[in-house]
Amino acid sequence: MDDRSLALVALYIGLNICTATEFSLSPSQPQCVFIAYSNVTCYWTPGQGSPSDTRFTLQVNITGCDDPVIHQSQLCQTVTQTHCSVNVTSLSRCYCIRVLADSPHTTASSPSLCLNAIDAVKLPTPVLSNVSAVRGKPRCLKLQWTTNTSFPVTRKHISNGALVFQVQYSTEDKPEPKTVKVDLRPEREQGLFSASTCLFSASTLYTLMMRYRYNSTLSHWSDWSLTQQQCTEVAAPSTVPQLWRTVQPVGGADMRRVTLLWKSPPRSQVKCSVPWFNVSCCTEGSQNALHTWDCNALSVSDTSCHLTLPPERCSCTLSMSNPAGISPPATITIPSTTDTAPKALVDVSVTALDDSRLEVRWTALESPSLSSFLVEWWALSETASYTPYWQRLSHNASKIIITEGVWPKLCYKVTVRPEYDAETGEELSVEAYTRQEAPSAGPKPVVQELSSSAVVLQWDPVPLEQRHGFIRYYTLYIQTEEETPEVVVVPGDSLRYQLSGLSGLYRIYMVAHTDAGGGPPGPMLDVSIGGIVLVDTILWCSIPTVLTVLILMNCLQWRQRIKQNLWPTVPDPAHSSLSTWNTETKYTTVLFTGGNLRGENTISNKAPVSPLPQQGGRNLLMLIVCGNVIS
């Protein structure tokens, strides 16, 4: 190869290197936002090979809209940033915009962006001045809005569709905002901009705001307006309330306590009109209404009602009313105590998804009369009462994820029932935990039977609030003073176990285990097997006996004292010296009157005794002195 060929090759290689460097240095085509009567701000992405000290220059050229001739040019330079702004006073001009990148070794340019300024404008924020209900149209709201005096789009162009509108709205029951495209072209040529949109629900309070943009692919959305709140016009409830019931067993006079349950209306509807509920019941085949006075004119805060109904088959209806009318009634049938529910469910399973979610699945037999499924769940407790939750699903549903009222470490009973219009089928129930933990207590074993070489232990289940999961098994520890504990695994559904081949003193305790592990040991039990008596056993046997003897002795002692005080001992004359006295007895009578001695008379035991005389209305006191006649 001669020198000329080598030079051409070198030149070709150099040109390729320069071209590659230029292309790697070129920024991306700018994305620009025109702010009305203010400026244009453009954004770009540097080339992949741009050095850190690359200088960028934003070049904004005013051109004709039909020819590329540059009439005026403005520049904005930056080093570290990838955006820059240039003052612009007119949105009716056309512009060609590009970004220049300068490095110490080369210069590159982005592709040019040529456009009409109005096509890339960001319009001023709308002023949403008022939102009102539309009379006779309960699904509509009327929005009134204004713009500033220097708005770059005329009313005529707005009426012809020059703007694209969006409304964002939410309710208290559904706080996640929903954004929809709407047509808010003004209804009149003069005054405020006003337009109606009909995408709402009746009797509902909405929070909403609006925005717009110029009808162009390059334009940008304005900022959202301030929010406004407004209720749609009140209309009669159109949906049937969801109704359910619970039935307690037959009580006195063969009457049943029935609790009707229903879902409260959405809070956003209650704030627009206050509804109330009415209940009516009757027995099957009778037109006479049963007593439901306690369930009439119930307020919106009531979601249940207690009734006393006979054991016969009954039908109850619930209706919701507001000032505009009454909803279609919801009807439910309470079967009689002798009815047999049809069987439709094959299987029900519950899976814990996390600490606050349970997935319920079921399999049901196909039936043309099956109308829905009702899923009910509540927390089980031995010490507290938890509110039942329920949800009605369509007939083709086979699963639900429940979250309401679900907490970790609690045991839930989940029940699925098939429904045939107003009647229910046979239910299936499953117990489940969202998250299991180790029990917080262990069982307490007691001796049920004891023999010379064996012992039968019995224990109560761990209290439900202390289980924190399903008890899968127990570990039974049997320990003597000299040896390490012997461990026996007992199934979790057992509440009794026999240990045999034992002799001596033993200390026994138990640990309960769930899927999450074992808990603390329960109370210890000391057992003597094979003739050795424990000190504890001696004390427990002797102390009650000693206490009983002491109590009896104390009672006897008090009995003697009471007898002596109430019935003193009288000596028996037959066993005294009186039995040898002479039969002839002399009585000496001494009369006292006013404390003075009047006289004395001695009579024999055979002489009659005359009554004592009275003096001055006073009785005389006679003192008889007895003595033996000494011969």
Side-chain angles (χ1 to χ4, degrees), residues 116-133:
N116 192 325
I118 192 66
D119 291 335
V121 69
K122 180 179 179 181
L123 296 172
T125 305
V127 178
L128 184 59
S129 57
N130 185 45
V131 178
S132 59

Side-chain angles (χ1 to χ4, degrees), residues 172-192:
E172 189 173 351
D173 304 287
K174 297 178 180 179
E176 188 67 26
K178 185 176 182 180
T179 303
V180 294
K181 181 181 177 181
V182 294
D183 184 3
L184 294 180
R185 287 179 292 179
E187 299 171 350
R188 297 193 305 269
E189 291 294 332
Q190 302 297 328
L192 293 174

Side-chain angles (χ1 to χ4, degrees), residues 215-368:
N215 194 359
S216 168
T217 57
L218 297 177
S219 64
H220 304 272
W221 285 106
S222 69
D223 294 330
W224 287 104
S225 69
L226 297 178
T227 59
Q228 291 277 355
Q229 283 191 329
Q230 181 59 45
C231 286
T232 51
E233 189 177 54
V234 176
S238 59
T239 57
V240 178
Q242 288 198 51
L243 180 61
W244 180 234
R245 62 14 174 221
T246 61
V247 181
Q248 294 183 1
V250 175
D254 292 337
M255 301 298 283
R256 297 177 293 173
R257 182 176 172 85
V258 177
T259 301
L260 296 181
L261 307 169
W262 58 87
K263 298 289 187 180
S264 59
R267 293 189 298 269
S268 55
Q269 294 184 9
V270 173
K271 291 188 175 181
C272 295
S273 65
V274 180
W276 62 92
F277 298 93
N278 288 299
V279 173
S280 61
C281 296
C282 63
T283 56
E284 188 177 56
S286 173
Q287 299 299 324
N288 296 327
L290 298 172
H291 167 62
T292 58
W293 295 340
D294 296 336
C295 295
N296 287 330
L298 297 170
S299 68
V300 69
S301 60
D302 296 318
T303 57
S304 63
C305 171
H306 302 292
L307 297 170
T308 302
L309 299 180
E312 290 82 18
R313 189 181 179 90
C314 300
S315 176
C316 293
T317 61
L318 171 74
S319 60
M320 182 173 67
S321 304
N322 67 14
I326 305 175
S327 72
T331 304
I332 194 167
T333 299
I334 293 92
S336 71
T337 55
T338 58
D339 284 351
T340 301
K343 184 176 181 180
L345 293 173
V346 177
D347 177 64
V348 173
S349 63
V350 180
T351 304
L353 300 180
D354 51 39
D355 286 356
S356 59
R357 294 190 303 162
L358 290 172
E359 183 181 55
V360 186
R361 291 180 175 268
W362 61 89
T363 305
L365 301 173
E366 293 186 3
S367 172

Side-chain angles (χ1 to χ4, degrees), residues 11-49:
L11 178 61
Y12 177 78
I13 294 173
L15 289 174
N16 280 303
I17 292 175
C18 292
T19 304
T21 302
E22 181 178 353
F23 278 117
S24 63
L25 190 65
S26 298
S28 64
Q29 187 181 48
Q31 303 292 322
C32 299
V33 181
F34 284 84
I35 305 299
Y37 312 114
S38 177
N39 60 56
V40 58
T41 301
C42 296
Y43 302 83
W44 62 88
T45 302
Q48 295 181 355

Side-chain angles (χ1 to χ4, degrees), residues 422-466:
E423 301 194 24
T424 59
E426 183 179 353
E427 66 185 51
L428 284 181
S429 299
V430 177
E431 293 183 3
Y433 286 86
T434 54
R435 170 166 53 90
Q436 297 191 51
E437 291 187 356
S440 57
K444 178 183 179 181
V446 295
V447 176
Q448 186 184 31
E449 297 179 14
L450 183 64
S451 63
S452 59
S453 62
V455 62
V456 177
L457 301 176
Q458 186 178 5
W459 58 91
D460 292 328
V462 177
L464 188 59
E465 279 76 12
Q466 297 177 325

Side-chain angles (χ1 to χ4, degrees), residues 344-510:
L345 293 173
V346 177
D347 177 64
V348 173
S349 63
V350 180
T351 304
L353 300 180
D354 51 39
D355 286 356
S356 59
R357 294 190 303 162
L358 290 172
E359 183 181 55
V360 186
R361 291 180 175 268
W362 61 89
T363 305
L365 301 173
E366 293 186 3
S367 172
S369 58
L370 183 65
S371 60
S372 58
F373 291 97
L374 191 134
V375 181
E376 187 178 18
W377 66 95
W378 64 93
L380 298 177
S381 175
E382 296 172 347
T383 60
S385 177
Y386 288 93
T387 303
Y389 297 90
W390 54 280
Q391 186 67 46
R392 181 172 281 110
L393 304 170
S394 64
H395 70 280
N396 54 5
S398 60
K399 71 173 184 177
I400 181 178
I401 297 176
I402 57 178
T403 58
E404 188 177 13
V406 178
W407 305 95
K409 298 192 297 183
L410 291 180
C411 182
Y412 288 88
K413 186 172 183 179
V414 182
T415 300
V416 181
R417 294 179 176 88
E419 291 186 313
Y420 305 89
D421 293 329
E423 301 194 24
T424 59
E426 183 179 353
E427 66 185 51
L428 284 181
S429 299
V430 177
E431 293 183 3
Y433 286 86
T434 54
R435 170 166 53 90
Q436 297 191 51
E437 291 187 356
S440 57
K444 178 183 179 181
V446 295
V447 176
Q448 186 184 31
E449 297 179 14
L450 183 64
S451 63
S452 59
S453 62
V455 62
V456 177
L457 301 176
Q458 186 178 5
W459 58 91
D460 292 328
V462 177
L464 188 59
E465 279 76 12
Q466 297 177 325
R467 293 178 201 170
H468 308 318
F470 295 111
I471 303 298
R472 301 303 184 186
Y473 64 93
Y474 300 99
T475 49
L476 186 63
Y477 293 86
I478 307 105
Q479 184 178 10
T480 61
E481 295 182 357
E482 297 83 7
E483 301 177 358
T484 57
E486 178 184 353
V487 180
V488 177
V489 178
V490 182
D493 57 351
S494 299
L495 297 175
R496 184 176 182 273
Y497 193 78
Q498 179 174 344
L499 298 172
S500 57
L502 304 178
S503 178
L505 300 175
Y506 293 91
R507 174 157 290 178
I508 299 173
Y509 57 93
M510 299 180 68

